Amino acid sequence: MADNGSGAFWFLAGIGIGTVIGVLYAPQSGTETRDVLRSKAEEAKEIARERTRQAREQASEWVDKGKEVVNQQKDQIRTAVEAGKQAYRETTSGLETKTAKG
């Protein structure tokens, strides 16, 4: 999927080349040819819109997954910090008790 932009380019280039070849060999009038070209251009535009929509959706999914991973990491760090604080409190309170007795 990393080559998606390149594939879209070649797909659109193929449409363009096919259109030119079709115009050269088609026994149609100028009006008919223009209608065909207009139709093909609309098709290409719709394909480009669809690919753009798909790319946006994929990017949105990646952003959401990234946020989820960051939140998980923050929770893990928060838990580790709290455990460290608790261990420090237990250690320092134990030292204070020994110092008071000794």
Side-chain angles (χ1 to χ4, degrees):
M1 187 151 218
D3 231 359
N4 197 13
S6 176
F9 169 77
W10 286 112
F11 178 75
L12 293 174
I15 288 175
I17 292 169
T19 300
V20 169
I21 290 171
V23 168
L24 293 175
Y25 288 101
Q28 298 173 340
S29 69
T31 303
E32 291 173 336
T33 301
R34 283 189 294 276
D35 288 343
V36 169
L37 291 175
R38 199 173 296 119
S39 172
K40 294 295 181 183
E42 282 297 320
E43 287 178 27
K45 190 164 87 172
E46 287 302 316
I47 290 169
R49 282 184 183 157
E50 179 62 21
R51 295 279 172 109
T52 300
R53 184 191 62 75
Q54 289 173 349
R56 283 184 183 149
E57 287 178 1
Q58 184 67 47
S60 178
E61 289 175 17
W62 288 343
V63 167
D64 291 344
K65 286 179 184 178
K67 286 179 182 178
E68 185 178 320
V69 168
V70 167
N71 286 333
Q72 289 174 351
Q73 292 297 320
K74 284 170 48 177
D75 289 344
Q76 288 178 352
I77 290 170
R78 190 176 298 122
T79 301
V81 167
E82 287 302 319
K85 285 180 181 179
Q86 182 65 30
Y88 174 77
R89 283 189 219 113
E90 290 173 2
T91 301
T92 56
S93 68
L95 290 175
E96 290 173 0
T97 305
K98 286 182 182 178
T99 306
K101 288 182 181 179

